[in-house]
Amino acid sequence: MFLKTVAFILLAFLVQRAWKLSLGFGTSDVGYINRPGPCRNVAPIETGSEDIAVTSNGLAFISSGMQLSDMCSSAVDARFSQFVGRIYVFDFQNSKQDAVEVSLPKELQYNFSPHGIDLLEDSETGEILLFVVNHRKIGEFVEILSYQPESRSLSMVRSVTHELFTSLNDVLAIDRNSFLVSNDAYFRSCWRILEPLLGLRWCNFIYFDGTVGQSIIENGHDFNSVALSRNGKQVYLTRPSEMKLEIYNRSKGTETLKLHQSINVGMAVDNVFSDQSTGDLWLGSHPSLALLTKHLSDIDLRAPSQVIRIQPLGPQNDPFNTYKLFSPFGDDGELVSGSSSAVHFKDKLLIGTVAHKVAYCEVQS
Amino acid sequence: MLLKILCGILVAIVCRQILFFVDVFGIYVTVRTHWPGPCRNVEPVVTGSENIAVTKDGLAFITSGLVPQYRRETVDPRMRRTFQGKIYLFDFNTPEKDAQDLKIDREIDFMPHGISLLEDESTGEIKLFVVNHREHHDTIEVMVYDQHEMTLHHVTTITDPLFTSLNDVVADGPNSFYVTNDGYFRNSSLRTPERLLTLPWGSVLYFNGKSTHVVVPRAYEPNGIAISNDKSMVFVNMPFLKSIYVYKRNTDDSLDLVHNLNVNISFDNVYVHPVTGHLWLGALAIPHKVATAAANIDHIAPAVACRLEPRGPPTDVFQSFHLYEVFADSTGLLSTSSCVVEYNGKLLVGSIFHKLVYCLMETKY
């Protein structure tokens, strides 16, 4: 009798987990192709373009070559260990030119597996500071780098690590020394698979003020990407397995966040980009996490891609009170596999992927 | 003991059916809007535009006024009261003009569904084959379009006891055609268990000019049917299986199933493009919303229209394919999309019982 009860509870638990996971998992074998206008790949990027940050002048910084092998090497394609971490720069205003590799500071050469990226522009000096999540061999770091445009190089300003950095994903720069950063898991190793399977909530969202790091949101299970609203009053956070974009009200200074709204977009979302000119949110998304997982275990297997745009229709103080969802771009994985990010600049789109290429599209309709 | 086994089997069947229908009904599907260019409704169509046939010169014949046959008693009373069967004509060459309600020169009990047309190359005669749901049985009405009077001249009515629940028709010669029966019980309450138990009591029939015979004896809810330009292949949409069945057509008019295309979306009608041979498909993107819309036409079932391009080797072109999502709308511009046709960079997207949409394609698909 007791055994039957335990077995029943276990079964109910497994069914609930399977159900919750299956929604974002998506088992379709098809990716629908949909273009906003002419699209093409941007050379020479072939080993990923996980996240992209753009300056107000349309200079896009692309993090590339993330070596997923530090995250359970047996589950991912062996070729990941040969990926070289790089930052590329692409100019939206000179879109016919290829993306150009930016040289890294000495400390990061052979020590660079970049993930989320953000940037700060100093309006007076014009200096561009990059904040890059780096999965170093020894641990999780946020690298703060200064861009030298004449030499197309990055110089090290500061390297930050902290015991709360367990498995970093994306970073949001607040000022020269402080930032918000998300943990997408507790374990960095193969044990991380247990977290979504068992519904463990061991992730947190961290504020680093320059000296001290603290959790500002705790007990989450899937904090992925983070972005800031135009007026700085709201922070956007993506939750891929729940197919949601969460909107938090932010108290500047203390950086306390309070959940205000949750938008279910119906697909596993990855990185979020807040368009400073329109207030729109652009999301790189995965129509099928099942196919994405297969693609990561064998890069030659294609994973469908999709870009989602959320257009705010509400008032200034609550822009997403009402909104519209658009899907301006979809691909079956041939042009771009595993789209993780999308940035928009003056009717042009740049779409980045976890381990594949980059697409540049003109938005005609 | 036997009772326990029977109960176990019954529970297993019920669970399987539930999971099947949860997947088919699109309970977790979201449709996000994207248009290929400017899109608008075509006046004065408000009683549906379930199927469309186009001549090589861009004259589109549209069936309208279909009240869902299945469980007619639960259908929105506004539909039952006001819908009248008609055929509209829309000229792609003068798209700014409204669609025109064509008079038929004979009074018949008329509720049209699927439609197909043949153009006589020498005489230029346009012959229409229309599935008609009369009060007590289904028929195929053969009509000729009179270009001078802009009316339809009714030629003949074809019926047969094998016509159990007609859905669509495709003509392959001046006196012959294939039709789909989407089930056995036409509109009685027995259709519900037939559908829920996934009984394959639909079929595909062939009329050779004299008599009708069965070419596909068992099928589960086959819907739209079309024939390739060289008449060597017949396509049948299986919306409840989220597949398209591709048949090879033999010299004796029999059909052999050669491909089951897992498109993972419920397509209603299929149109073979006369120039490219690609399949243009209208989708019931979220089927459970179509059911809700049938009971209350104010509820919107989002619209999706796709183009399927075969990518296989010349000897077997449908071995693989690319699926383009050309049009998607959840703004309410169109509800219950069922078909799409393309002519010279312009689209007409039809619906089961809502409006008709005309789009200019600015993005090349």
Side-chain angles (χ1 to χ4, degrees):
Chain A
M1 185 60 212
F2 175 68
L3 214 63
K4 274 194 191 170
T5 317
V6 169
F8 183 75
I9 293 173
L10 196 67
L11 185 69
F13 174 72
L14 287 174
V15 166
Q16 191 257 12
R17 292 313 307 154
W19 183 255
K20 283 220 98 166
L21 289 172
S22 67
L23 298 181
F25 234 65
T27 47
S28 78
D29 287 316
V30 185
Y32 305 128
I33 302 170
N34 156 27
R35 305 271 184 262
C39 291
R40 58 175 171 81
N41 289 122
V42 176
I45 299 173
E46 307 221 317
T47 54
S49 43
E50 208 276 345
D51 200 10
I52 307 172
V54 195
T55 67
S56 49
N57 287 331
L59 207 59
F61 290 85
I62 305 163
S63 77
S64 174
M66 176 168 64
Q67 300 115 49
L68 293 172
S69 24
D70 70 323
M71 205 179 76
C72 198
S73 54
S74 47
V76 301
D77 194 315
R79 286 171 278 184
F80 274 112
S81 54
Q82 289 156 38
F83 274 23
V84 175
R86 295 182 175 100
I87 302 275
Y88 285 95
V89 69
F90 172 82
D91 190 352
F92 270 104
Q93 316 245 47
N94 279 310
S95 54
K96 290 207 169 53
Q97 308 215 326
D98 289 353
V100 178
E101 186 179 343
V102 170
S103 53
L104 298 169
K106 242 203 293 213
E107 305 93 303
L108 296 183
Q109 287 167 12
Y110 310 116
N111 203 3
F112 197 50
S113 178
H115 200 152
I117 186 171
D118 194 12
L119 61 79
L120 273 183
E121 288 176 89
D122 188 316
S123 43
E124 287 160 42
T125 64
E127 186 194 13
I128 297 170
L129 268 187
L130 290 187
F131 288 65
V132 186
V133 165
N134 184 14
H135 301 296
R136 292 195 192 193
K137 295 178 189 66
I138 54 167
E140 304 290 280
F141 280 72
V142 172
E143 318 288 1
I144 304 177
L145 309 160
S146 176
Y147 179 60
Q148 321 299 326
E150 318 79 38
S151 53
R152 286 227 191 89
S153 62
L154 292 168
S155 59
M156 180 68 84
V157 172
R158 188 171 175 190
S159 256
V160 181
T161 190
H162 195 280
E163 58 181 2
L164 285 176
F165 296 179
T166 56
S167 174
L168 297 183
N169 192 299
D170 198 10
V171 59
L172 176 67
I174 308 273
D175 64 37
R176 295 188 66 88
N177 285 303
S178 59
F179 52 81
L180 300 182
V181 73
S182 58
N183 273 317
D184 61 18
Y186 179 75
F187 294 109
R188 191 76 201 143
S189 62
C190 294
W191 289 111
R192 66 189 287 125
I193 298 175
L194 283 182
E195 294 179 48
L197 277 183
L198 298 177
L200 300 175
R201 295 170 167 272
W202 291 351
C203 297
N204 46 22
F205 191 62
I206 298 155
Y207 167 51
F208 181 78
D209 69 358
T211 358
V212 169
Q214 48 168 303
S215 270
I216 49 176
I217 312 176
E218 305 212 285
N219 303 323
H221 58 112
D222 186 19
F223 294 117
N224 196 292
S225 172
V226 54
L228 191 63
S229 67
R230 279 194 286 186
N231 58 10
K233 295 211 176 113
Q234 292 184 318
V235 166
Y236 308 110
L237 200 54
T238 58
R239 311 295 292 269
S241 61
E242 290 178 28
M243 307 191 284
K244 280 190 196 159
L245 176 92
E246 287 179 342
I247 301 176
Y248 291 81
N249 285 331
R250 171 191 178 222
S251 311
K252 228 168 145 180
T254 55
E255 300 306 329
T256 38
L257 300 177
K258 192 153 168 265
L259 181 62
H260 170 70
Q261 188 187 354
S262 210
I263 299 177
N264 188 316
V265 299
M267 188 175 285
V269 288
D270 202 324
N271 292 329
V272 55
F273 169 73
S274 169
D275 191 331
Q276 300 298 295
S277 51
T278 60
D280 288 347
L281 294 179
W282 295 80
L283 303 155
S285 312
H286 305 291
S288 169
L289 285 179
L291 289 173
L292 177 70
T293 311
K294 278 198 201 157
H295 165 64
L296 296 179
S297 69
D298 179 352
I299 306 175
D300 297 327
L301 292 176
R302 299 270 161 258
S305 295
Q306 177 116 184
V307 170
I308 297 176
R309 168 182 160 225
I310 312 179
Q311 182 191 37
L313 298 171
Q316 281 257 13
N317 62 345
D318 193 9
F320 291 93
N321 176 283
T322 43
Y323 58 88
K324 256 201 205 158
L325 288 181
F326 296 87
S327 279
F329 175 89
D331 192 66
D332 58 356
E334 271 212 28
L335 185 72
V336 277
S337 260
S339 56
S340 52
S341 59
V343 298
H344 178 256
F345 181 81
K346 293 194 178 155
D347 286 339
K348 306 193 182 107
L349 269 186
L350 203 60
I351 300 154
T353 62
V354 181
H356 193 229
K357 302 179 180 175
V358 165
Y360 169 79
C361 294
E362 285 176 44
V363 180
Q364 278 173 347
S365 54
Chain B
M1 185 60 208
L2 184 67
L3 207 64
K4 274 196 190 168
I5 296 175
L6 282 175
C7 275
I9 294 174
L10 196 69
V11 167
I13 293 176
V14 169
C15 282
R16 186 255 170 191
Q17 297 305 91
I18 292 174
L19 285 175
F20 174 80
F21 281 103
V22 164
D23 180 40
V24 169
F25 280 149
I27 304 224
Y28 292 104
V29 174
T30 316
V31 170
R32 289 160 292 266
T33 304
H34 61 89
W35 296 355
C39 293
R40 57 172 171 83
N41 290 122
V42 176
E43 300 298 328
V45 182
V46 290
T47 58
S49 43
E50 208 271 346
N51 206 345
I52 306 172
V54 194
T55 67
K56 60 175 173 21
D57 295 324
L59 290 181
F61 294 84
I62 304 146
T63 56
S64 184
L66 177 70
V67 176
Q69 298 300 292
Y70 176 62
R71 300 207 64 208
R72 230 195 255 182
E73 70 283 4
T74 57
V75 159
D76 190 317
R78 286 170 286 181
M79 268 200 271
R80 284 185 273 132
R81 271 202 310 269
T82 64
F83 275 30
Q84 282 183 315
K86 33 178 93 155
I87 297 198
Y88 282 102
L89 174 66
F90 174 84
D91 188 346
F92 271 106
N93 302 296
T94 53
E96 63 287 350
K97 290 212 180 127
D98 286 358
Q100 201 162 336
D101 181 359
L102 296 177
K103 271 182 97 68
I104 305 171
D105 67 357
R106 182 177 293 175
E107 277 278 330
I108 50 174
D109 175 10
F110 197 51
M111 186 181 290
H113 196 155
I115 185 170
S116 175
L117 69 75
L118 272 185
E119 287 178 88
D120 187 313
E121 302 209 353
S122 39
T123 64
E125 178 189 81
I126 297 167
K127 201 185 235 186
L128 301 181
F129 297 75
V130 187
V131 167
N132 184 18
H133 297 299
R134 295 192 183 219
E135 179 77 37
H136 296 298
H137 62 289
D138 291 338
T139 57
I140 295 290
E141 311 295 345
V142 184
M143 302 187 236
V144 168
Y145 175 57
D146 183 331
Q147 310 208 44
H148 302 289
E149 305 288 314
M150 292 186 86
T151 55
L152 292 170
H153 165 62
H154 185 268
V155 175
T156 185
T157 299
I158 298 165
T159 193
D160 192 288
L162 286 173
F163 293 3
T164 54
S165 177
L166 291 187
N167 191 296
D168 196 12
V169 58
V170 64
D172 71 331
N175 297 303
S176 56
F177 52 79
Y178 287 94
V179 285
T180 49
N181 270 320
D182 55 29
Y184 181 76
F185 292 109
R186 200 170 153 242
N187 55 1
S188 72
S189 49
L190 288 172
R191 185 62 181 272
T192 306
E194 178 188 340
R195 185 174 272 187
L196 289 182
L197 291 173
T198 59
L199 298 173
W201 289 355
S203 56
V204 182
L205 312 173
Y206 184 70
F207 176 78
N208 61 10
K210 297 198 191 63
S211 62
T212 307
H213 62 274
V214 181
V215 289
V216 177
R218 275 192 335 274
Y220 179 59
E221 301 274 350
N223 200 300
I225 187 168
I227 198 164
S228 63
N229 292 324
D230 63 1
K231 309 240 194 307
S232 67
M233 286 183 286
V234 168
F235 308 100
V236 179
N237 281 339
M238 311 291 287
F240 280 76
L241 303 176
K242 301 207 279 189
S243 285
I244 303 175
Y245 278 13
V246 180
Y247 293 90
K248 177 167 85 80
R249 186 167 178 249
N250 301 315
T251 43
D252 63 352
D253 308 315
S254 63
L255 300 177
D256 294 330
L257 181 64
V258 289
H259 287 297
N260 174 349
L261 305 179
N262 286 314
V263 291
N264 204 49
I265 183 170
S266 301
F267 286 129
D268 194 328
N269 289 319
V270 49
Y271 169 73
V272 175
H273 197 278
V275 175
T276 62
H278 298 169
L279 305 183
W280 289 79
L281 305 141
L284 304 167
I286 308 181
H288 76 91
K289 289 203 174 172
V290 175
T292 320
N296 182 342
I297 47 177
D298 297 327
H299 287 151
I300 301 293
V304 167
C306 296
R307 170 174 74 88
L308 187 143
E309 186 179 311
R311 287 294 190 102
T315 47
D316 188 12
V317 290
F318 284 93
Q319 194 187 80
S320 61
F321 59 90
H322 274 199
L323 195 57
Y324 294 80
E325 191 178 271
V326 179
F327 170 87
D329 186 86
S330 52
T331 67
L333 182 74
L334 194 70
S335 174
T336 68
S337 51
S338 58
C339 64
V340 60
V341 296
E342 190 268 355
Y343 180 81
N344 266 355
K346 300 161 200 166
L347 293 184
L348 265 188
V349 189
S351 66
I352 308 176
F353 43 80
H354 194 242
K355 303 179 181 173
L356 176 65
V357 161
Y358 169 79
C359 293
L360 203 61
M361 292 219 292
E362 283 175 347
T363 317
K364 283 192 178 56
Y365 273 108

